[in-house]
Amino acid sequence: MISYARQTPEAQPDGTPPLVDDHIAPAPRVSVQAFCETVETAAAVQSAGEDRRLGKAHLKIQMGGMAAAIEAYRSAPTPNVIILETEGRNDILNGLDQLATVCDSGTRVIVIGRINDVTLYRELVRRGVSDYVIAPVNAIDVVRSICGLFSSPEAKAVGRIIAVVGAKGGVGASTIAHNVAWAIARDLALDSVVADLDLAFGTAGLDYNQDPPQGIADAVFSPDRVDTAFLDRLLSKCTDHLSLLAAPATLDRVYDFGVEAFDAIFDTLRTTMPCIVLDIPHQWSGWTKRALVGADDILIVAAPDLANLRNTKNIFDLLKASRPNDRTPLYCLNQVGIPKRPEINSGEFAKAIESEPIASIPFDPQMFGSAANNGQMIAEISATHRSTEMFLQIAQRLTGRGEAKKPRGSFLSPLIAKLRAK
């Protein structure tokens, strides 16, 4: 019998489809076979198969709908997930009854139909259908439905990966990444980890004033040992809500990695941490591209000059094309206002990239230099500094959390409250 996985389609309270930028957990390595009746649905499923969140799934599409599925599985085992497009009410119910006789136990079924009726939906649930999606569908509908089958409500939420990369070397992307992660952990009270991926020259340990004996190199060079307990031992605790997976920052070995070298680390971190901030070095390789494309949200850090504008646009355009069902990348300008340096203003940046920067962080060598040399964040030196507020705003945009944690009251607050009560 077809196994039951979800009772209600994911929709907003007003009945409209879910938002495109909702956080959708990636699907595991599963086999998915779709039987479509229309070219439009087949195209949507094909597009969904190219989405990063289905990168581990094996998707096969054929035409013929319910009849083709029943015929196909008379002599072949069923996959983990079957997607069926069908038209009429009787066609759905009768077809499912026949499919149940040839369907392997544990297979999950998603039905795409055109009838929006609660009675029909209840009949589908009674027959064990995992999800019912109203046609016409787009790629994100298919992605959400498949991925949702493997995200049970009682399971721990899958962490959000935020990737921060510089458009050019020396633009301060690591500094921005570390300060934004600090704001996520301190002001938004979200448990977070910073993964410093610049193994040769990483600065996260210096910026957080940490010198752990182990870090991310121990994980990437021991892929067979990577699990939750192993990574927990490698993490260095910076604050109550912030941990660090530090880079060794040594040159005693060469750090050449395959495309999938960090996959196991990222997947494991997702299961334990609500937020993972990747500090990605400014280099272009298979694994850096994979880390960017696979992230849930991306921040590009650029300085206001021509080379940064060109590089930002190139990265921006590539990521938009590679992630058609995700939110567009975000970018910010850093080191704005260096004396006597000609600059490209934010308006020209926005015109070229067709998107506004989310922040323009002013050049302040005294403040940022002191923070770097002392192993502190800007907020630790000056909670009222303009950049501190900008880091919080960036953190809110990247995490989708609009409200910051309320600041603690002063030690006089209880006394003042009592006086007011009188």
Side-chain angles (χ1 to χ4, degrees), residues 96-416:
L96 286 174
D97 290 340
Q98 295 181 56
L99 182 64
T101 64
V102 297
C103 192
D104 297 338
S105 175
T107 294
R108 305 181 183 190
V109 174
I110 298 170
V111 175
I112 299 174
R114 299 184 180 276
I115 300 173
N116 190 357
D117 179 74
V118 67
T119 303
L120 172 62
Y121 180 70
R122 288 172 179 166
E123 283 297 317
L124 294 177
V125 170
R126 192 172 66 83
R127 282 169 166 80
V129 167
S130 302
D131 197 10
Y132 180 60
V133 186
I134 304 297
V137 297
N138 55 33
I140 197 65
D141 294 328
V142 179
V143 171
R144 182 180 290 104
S145 185
I146 296 173
C147 293
L149 299 181
F150 304 95
S151 300
S152 60
E154 64 274 9
K156 193 167 185 177
V158 176
R160 178 185 293 265
I161 290 183
I162 296 171
V164 182
V165 65
K168 188 171 177 284
V171 298
S174 291
T175 299
I176 303 301
H178 304 160
N179 278 275
V180 168
W182 181 273
I184 292 172
R186 189 194 69 163
D187 298 311
L188 303 183
L190 192 63
D191 287 340
S192 306
V193 60
V194 173
D196 190 345
L197 303 185
D198 190 351
L199 272 70
F201 303 106
T203 59
L206 297 175
D207 285 352
Y208 290 123
N209 197 24
Q210 300 285 323
D211 187 21
Q214 296 177 303
I216 195 167
D218 298 272
V220 75
F221 287 115
S222 303
D224 295 337
R225 299 179 60 194
V226 173
D227 58 21
T228 301
F230 182 58
L231 287 185
D232 282 345
R233 292 196 296 270
L234 302 181
L235 291 175
S236 174
K237 197 169 184 63
C238 301
T239 70
D240 288 342
H241 292 290
L242 183 64
S243 298
L244 170 65
L245 198 54
T250 58
L251 304 179
D252 56 347
R253 65 197 308 176
V254 176
Y255 302 107
D256 292 332
F257 303 116
V259 174
E260 301 179 359
F262 291 90
D263 284 8
I265 299 174
F266 298 161
D267 290 345
T268 304
L269 287 173
R270 277 185 183 274
T271 65
T272 59
M273 281 288 178
C275 184
I276 303 101
V277 178
L278 306 182
D279 180 3
I280 298 181
H282 180 72
Q283 65 182 66
W284 197 239
S285 62
W287 71 266
T288 54
K289 179 181 178 181
R290 185 177 179 86
L292 284 171
V293 172
D296 296 296
D297 288 284
I298 301 160
L299 176 67
I300 305 167
V301 180
D305 62 33
L306 185 59
N308 276 272
L309 175 57
R310 179 201 64 186
N311 294 353
T312 300
K313 181 166 177 57
N314 286 344
I315 298 172
F316 203 88
D317 291 347
L318 179 139
L319 291 175
K320 283 181 65 177
S322 302
R323 301 154 48 88
N325 304 314
D326 286 89
R327 289 199 298 177
T328 56
L330 303 175
Y331 75 97
C332 71
L333 298 179
N334 191 33
Q335 303 173 350
V336 175
I338 294 180
K340 298 183 180 180
R341 180 183 73 172
E343 295 182 347
I344 298 176
N345 62 45
S346 60
E348 293 173 322
F349 251 85
K351 183 178 180 180
I353 298 175
E354 299 179 348
S355 177
E356 294 285 342
I358 61 171
S360 293
I361 301 170
F363 177 67
D364 189 340
Q366 181 67 36
M367 178 63 68
F368 281 84
S370 297
N373 289 336
N374 295 336
Q376 292 179 297
M377 297 293 101
I378 300 300
E380 292 182 280
I381 297 178
S382 176
T384 59
H385 194 269
R386 183 182 176 190
S387 296
T388 299
E389 179 62 27
M390 289 184 176
F391 292 139
L392 175 56
Q393 292 172 358
I394 295 172
Q396 290 171 334
R397 286 287 301 275
L398 287 171
T399 60
R401 295 194 170 198
E403 295 294 330
K405 182 180 65 174
K406 291 184 179 180
R408 295 178 180 176
S410 70
F411 69 95
L412 292 176
S413 296
L415 178 59
I416 294 173

